[in-house]
Amino acid sequence: MKIKYLNVFWLIIPMLFLQPSFACACGGEYPLSLTDQILTWIVKLVFLLIYLIPTFFFVKFYKVFSLKIIHIIIPHVFLFLMIWLLNNTVNLGLMKIYDQIRDIVSPLLVVSIVGIVGIFLWFYPIIYILQMKLKRTTLKV
């Protein structure tokens, strides 16, 4: 019984030191309370699990349909590349290009296009599995 509580204690200790601050927009200047820290980690965990849903689906059917691993690696590489580009637009000089075309292209349009591409990349492993399932059922008939 004590071992269970000890394990929970060791799960909470790292949260005390990492102190993510995106939930309160403090920027690390003001320390968050323990409940705010736990809530921010729960939010991060929920987003990570949502991100990994297609991956879990892919792994579930990996052996059944003898899928190729490249179809799970490529979307992840593109998604991480998109996140890296969004975080480094100023360093890469992309803001100068965007400033020149800002009057022609709406920011909402840019965000919409990036979002649609991101959603497609997120769904791609599931689409691939459904195509393989369809191909397998048509071959049996």
Side-chain angles (χ1 to χ4, degrees), residues 82-96:
M82 283 174 55
I83 291 169
W84 180 77
L85 283 173
L86 288 173
N87 287 332
N88 294 309
T89 52
V90 176
N91 297 340
L92 296 172
L94 297 176
M95 285 304 290
K96 293 176 186 174

Side-chain angles (χ1 to χ4, degrees), residues 1 5 19 24 27 38 49-50 61 72 75 78-80 83 87 89 97 102-103 112 120 132 134 136 138:
M1 190 83 161
Y5 295 118
Q19 296 183 5
C24 70
I38 291 172
L49 290 177
I50 289 171
F61 291 105
I72 195 72
F78 280 123
L79 283 169
F80 287 125
I83 291 169
N87 287 332
T89 52
I97 297 170
R102 174 173 51 203
D103 297 330
S112 301
F120 174 74
M132 294 302 287
L134 183 65
R136 187 171 179 174
T138 54

Side-chain angles (χ1 to χ4, degrees), residues 99-133:
D99 286 340
Q100 293 175 354
I101 60 171
R102 174 173 51 203
D103 297 330
I104 302 167
V105 178
S106 162
L108 180 63
L109 180 66
V110 172
V111 169
S112 301
I113 291 172
V114 169
I116 289 170
V117 169
I119 289 172
F120 174 74
L121 290 173
W122 183 67
F123 271 119
Y124 178 76
I126 295 174
I127 294 169
Y128 175 69
I129 290 169
L130 294 175
Q131 285 178 344
M132 294 302 287
K133 190 183 284 188

